[in-house]
Amino acid sequence: MPPPADIVKVAIEWPDAFPKLMEIDQVSPGTARLPGEATRGTKTHLWSLGSHEHFALQLADGTRYYITEKNRNDIKNGSILRLTTSPSLSASQLHERIQSSSMDAKLEALKDLASASRDITFAQEFINLDGISLLTQMVESGTERYQKLQKIMKPCFGDLLSFTLTAFVELMDHGIVSWDTFSVAFIKKIASYVNKSAMDAAVLQRSLAILESMVLNSQDLYQKVAQEITIGQLIPHLQCADQDIQTYTVAVINALFLKAPEEKRQVTDGEMAHILAQKQLRSIILSNIIRSNQPINDEMAHQLYVLQVLTFNLLEDRMMTKMDPQDQAQRDIIFELRRIAFDVECDSNNSGSIEKRKSMYTRDYKKLGFINHVNPAVDFTQIPPGMLALDNMLYFAKHHQDAYIRMVLENSSREDKHECPFGRSSIELTKMLCEILRVGELPSENCHDFHPMFFTHDRSFEEFFCICIQLLNKTWKEMRATSEDFNKVMQVVREQIMRTLTHKPNSLDQFKSRLQNMSYTEILKIRQSERMNQEDFQSRPIVELREKIQPEIMELIKQQRLNRLCEGTCFKKTNNRRKPDKYWYCRLSPNHKVLHYGDLEESPQGEVPFDSLQDKLPVVEMKAVVTGKDCPHMKEKGALKQSKEWLELAFSVLYESDEYLNFMAPDKHEYCVWTDGLNALLGKEMTSEYTKADMDTLLSMEMKLRLLDLENIQIPEAPPPIPKEPSNYDFVYDCN
């Protein structure tokens, strides 16, 4: 008779004693009556240790997490547990030890505290003892008396402060204590560690992490932090060789940008825009991070992407500002565009009658390509792009004057209706570029898509526009377009820009060079090639052939998904960048009847054998597969803050007794493979986007193979008629 499912066999360790094997009932209240407690029998019978309230069980792995009522069901067969002091007793002892007068004892206590604080059970107990306040007091004043000894005990002092701040960060990461409770003195002390030119690397990292969390979690703390530290004071940390410090520094800069009031983020008079120009932040990031010898890790790539988005978002105000046709200063910009293009000398002396000047202005505005020839200011009342389009046009006219004049005069002198309207094109192009770069949208939490070329120029968006408007004019001529083809040209230009951006050019010049190779003829070739690869014949015989082949292809995809599940996948349990990752592995048995899974110490290099996976889930017990927000682990409190990207990777298997197995796929491909495979096991339809893509690819290949012998033969829409029966069958030869 198999043992009950609620009974797990584990090993219990105790210092200086042989480990004991024991069965634990995960359902019985006696197993963990209080948070962090083990069974009474475990403590009193095995080693006769006395009062059970002073002891608890921990996982013996590197995490050392306490076993509690909430997580005791996660104990697996064969787990190794460690009998240790209870969370409350450990918290009380460490609370006392960190106040020791001995420097060495204090250092060891803070080191143990930094390690233990990763566990939320211990953290809650330590916080209940007002431990956060004790740590902040130590940071504010407790370490002052040791600073006199800093010259002779500098390494020890650095470690002392480092472990203090590490414990503080770990405790605050649990979200138990509000960030709004901290004093100005504490903020000033943390800021002072960042502002010092020579500071221990670990202390600097923790201080930057604390400042970032303060700014992001409290608008009131943003005001206090902004008074103590400026972006200019952070810039020297970008010039060090430690990429972790550089990453935390960029993260703090992003936090200050993100939480800055609207008036500070204005393009013209805003403090943030002024800092970008004056402190040379861009050039320092370019030379010390993007073009450094060491590769950019994922977290740094994400922070650079966030900075890129926030920088472009400075343009949102101009993008959403309509032009006032009655504003003379704004109208003067249009006059300047006209003056640069045509260099009309009579403007200076206002010669001629008013009617004559109006007629001349109307003619010139038509040559400039505005929709409203009489009052072109009306063209800039559409938002987006609003005044941003006019800003781009003026920048192009002043900084690329020869190209601007050549473009306007070339098109204004044509009389074959093939002229490219510069004004209308600039407005629509600016709107398109804002859509491509998502100006005005908040950055995604898990995106790493930054473009190095935007860090190579102080006016990167305007330069980007100047390159693209010349591309538009070139493409217009290649397509021999007329005004009726305007939307078609814009579609081609968007495709040219998007395809070039995927190559991640390192500079604007490289982007411009790549665009030269992305001509309209090349776009046509690419489109033709893609149509050939995804050809969809519409004739009736071809449609019938596709319908006949489709079930075979779907069965092939199903077998591929199941084979992939048999190979197995490693999944992460945690995704906090400040905590070590925990892994577990899941794979399907070769007979497709059982899911085997279990925890791992680290990510494996290949397949994990079945005998190392202790837990099993029979396929017959599976009831459903749910995804996204419907997953149990996405409904938990801590998961509510997860971004859209995390929701798109989450799925769960529901099985009997309302139990569930939660997954967080490492990427979109694994998500599609597993959801498809699990649905196939349940006899349900595979609906992922990868299944559709595989179906299109394989079906297209199979169709081309089947039709290979019919090349250049016209396939009729209807089958040929059946001929009449012959008058006799004398031509039939009887072989018998």
Side-chain angles (χ1 to χ4, degrees), residues 429-491:
L429 178 63
T430 301
K431 181 180 179 181
M432 179 198 295
L433 297 183
C434 290
E435 293 172 354
I436 291 174
L437 299 178
R438 299 182 179 181
V439 176
E441 296 184 17
L442 289 176
S444 169
E445 291 186 11
N446 294 285
C447 184
H448 310 92
D449 187 25
F450 83 97
H451 294 278
M453 71 177 190
F454 291 127
F455 291 86
T456 62
H457 200 282
D458 291 330
R459 304 287 294 274
S460 59
F461 184 81
E462 289 87 345
E463 288 292 327
F464 187 44
F465 167 84
C466 294
I467 294 172
C468 293
I469 192 64
Q470 295 177 73
L471 167 71
L472 191 152
N473 185 63
K474 174 176 173 286
T475 303
W476 186 284
K477 291 187 291 185
E478 292 173 349
M479 295 178 65
R480 295 189 56 78
T482 63
S483 57
E484 289 80 9
D485 302 318
F486 186 85
N487 291 332
K488 294 181 181 178
V489 175
M490 296 303 295
Q491 291 174 2

Side-chain angles (χ1 to χ4, degrees), residues 388-667:
L388 185 59
L390 188 58
D391 294 342
N392 284 339
M393 295 168 69
L394 183 62
Y395 182 90
F396 180 51
K398 286 188 172 182
H399 294 82
H400 301 270
Q401 190 167 327
D402 292 342
Y404 167 71
I405 294 174
R406 183 169 58 252
M407 183 184 301
V408 172
L409 295 183
E410 178 184 282
N411 287 287
S412 64
S413 62
R414 301 187 67 165
E415 297 181 357
D416 54 2
K417 296 184 179 180
H418 289 283
E419 64 274 6
C420 177
F422 172 72
R424 181 186 177 189
S425 299
S426 298
I427 293 170
E428 292 301 320
L429 178 63
T430 301
K431 181 180 179 181
M432 179 198 295
L433 297 183
C434 290
E435 293 172 354
I436 291 174
L437 299 178
R438 299 182 179 181
V439 176
E441 296 184 17
L442 289 176
S444 169
E445 291 186 11
N446 294 285
C447 184
H448 310 92
D449 187 25
F450 83 97
H451 294 278
M453 71 177 190
F454 291 127
F455 291 86
T456 62
H457 200 282
D458 291 330
R459 304 287 294 274
S460 59
F461 184 81
E462 289 87 345
E463 288 292 327
F464 187 44
F465 167 84
C466 294
I467 294 172
C468 293
I469 192 64
Q470 295 177 73
L471 167 71
L472 191 152
N473 185 63
K474 174 176 173 286
T475 303
W476 186 284
K477 291 187 291 185
E478 292 173 349
M479 295 178 65
R480 295 189 56 78
T482 63
S483 57
E484 289 80 9
D485 302 318
F486 186 85
N487 291 332
K488 294 181 181 178
V489 175
M490 296 303 295
Q491 291 174 2
V492 173
V493 170
R494 176 186 283 269
E495 188 172 348
Q496 290 171 313
I497 295 171
M498 294 297 291
R499 289 184 183 277
T500 305
L501 285 177
T502 58
H503 295 287
K504 296 293 182 69
N506 292 321
S507 65
L508 289 165
D509 289 337
Q510 192 177 100
F511 173 73
K512 185 176 182 180
S513 176
R514 285 184 178 273
L515 279 179
Q516 298 298 322
N517 300 325
M518 195 65 67
S519 63
Y520 176 59
T521 304
E522 184 64 24
I523 290 293
L524 290 179
K525 290 180 181 179
I526 294 173
R527 287 179 174 179
Q528 184 179 7
S529 175
E530 290 177 350
R531 277 197 301 269
M532 290 179 65
N533 292 332
Q534 301 176 0
E535 197 164 7
D536 186 18
F537 301 105
Q538 298 299 324
S539 63
R540 182 180 170 185
I542 302 301
V543 171
E544 291 179 355
L545 180 60
R546 287 172 64 90
E547 292 175 353
K548 181 180 179 181
I549 297 175
Q550 231 168 348
E552 302 174 14
I553 301 298
M554 186 57 73
E555 182 63 26
L556 180 63
I557 295 173
K558 175 183 174 181
Q559 291 303 319
Q560 187 276 335
R561 297 292 191 266
L562 295 177
N563 290 339
R564 181 63 188 81
L565 263 61
C566 290
E567 295 176 7
T569 300
C570 179
F571 299 93
K572 282 186 180 181
K573 275 192 171 184
T574 59
N575 292 281
N576 191 326
R577 64 183 172 90
R578 295 197 184 108
K579 296 184 178 180
D581 292 325
K582 297 170 64 179
Y583 300 93
W584 68 289
Y585 200 87
C586 186
R587 62 182 299 191
L588 180 66
S589 62
N591 60 6
H592 302 169
K593 291 185 178 180
V594 180
L595 282 176
H596 297 260
Y597 62 95
D599 294 339
L600 300 176
E601 292 294 332
E602 57 185 13
S603 180
Q605 298 300 318
E607 293 184 13
V608 176
F610 287 106
D611 55 7
S612 64
L613 303 176
Q614 300 295 326
D615 300 285
K616 300 178 181 180
L617 172 60
V619 173
V620 294
E621 295 183 7
M622 292 168 48
K623 296 194 297 185
V625 177
V626 295
T627 60
K629 294 181 179 179
D630 296 328
C631 296
H633 57 311
M634 289 294 104
K635 295 179 180 179
E636 297 173 357
K637 182 178 179 182
L640 296 178
K641 299 179 181 179
Q642 297 290 3
S643 64
K644 180 181 178 182
E645 287 79 1
W646 282 118
L647 290 175
E648 291 177 349
L649 297 177
F651 61 98
S652 300
V653 176
L654 307 183
Y655 54 97
E656 293 182 357
S657 304
D658 295 327
E659 297 292 336
Y660 47 82
L661 187 62
N662 294 324
F663 295 79
M664 183 65 71
D667 51 50

Side-chain angles (χ1 to χ4, degrees), residues 170-289:
E170 295 290 350
L171 291 169
M172 292 303 297
D173 271 350
H174 296 297
I176 300 172
V177 179
S178 171
W179 283 94
D180 288 312
T181 59
F182 297 108
S183 65
V184 175
F186 178 72
I187 298 172
K188 286 184 176 182
K189 182 62 66 174
I190 297 297
S192 70
Y193 299 145
V194 174
N195 290 334
K196 286 182 180 179
S197 57
M199 178 54 67
D200 182 80
V203 173
L204 181 56
Q205 283 186 24
R206 305 303 186 273
S207 300
L208 289 168
I210 292 170
L211 290 179
E212 179 197 6
S213 297
M214 283 181 173
V215 173
L216 292 177
N217 287 283
S218 171
Q219 189 63 36
D220 183 51
L221 284 184
Y222 160 77
Q223 302 289 348
K224 296 176 181 178
V225 172
Q227 293 174 2
E228 299 299 326
I229 194 165
T230 64
I231 293 179
Q233 292 169 318
L234 293 171
I235 284 179
H237 299 310
L238 297 174
Q239 297 171 310
C240 71
D242 190 331
Q243 190 169 122
D244 289 334
I245 292 178
Q246 292 175 327
T247 302
Y248 280 110
T249 303
V250 178
V252 174
I253 292 173
N254 287 336
L256 291 171
F257 266 76
L258 193 61
K259 293 297 181 178
E262 184 65 30
E263 62 272 11
K264 287 192 174 185
R265 289 187 276 120
Q266 299 294 329
V267 178
T268 53
D269 301 321
E271 180 182 334
M272 293 302 176
H274 181 70
I275 288 172
L276 280 177
Q278 296 298 319
K279 300 298 183 181
Q280 298 179 341
L281 176 64
R282 174 200 59 78
S283 60
I284 291 174
I285 290 177
L286 179 66
S287 58
N288 291 277
I289 299 177

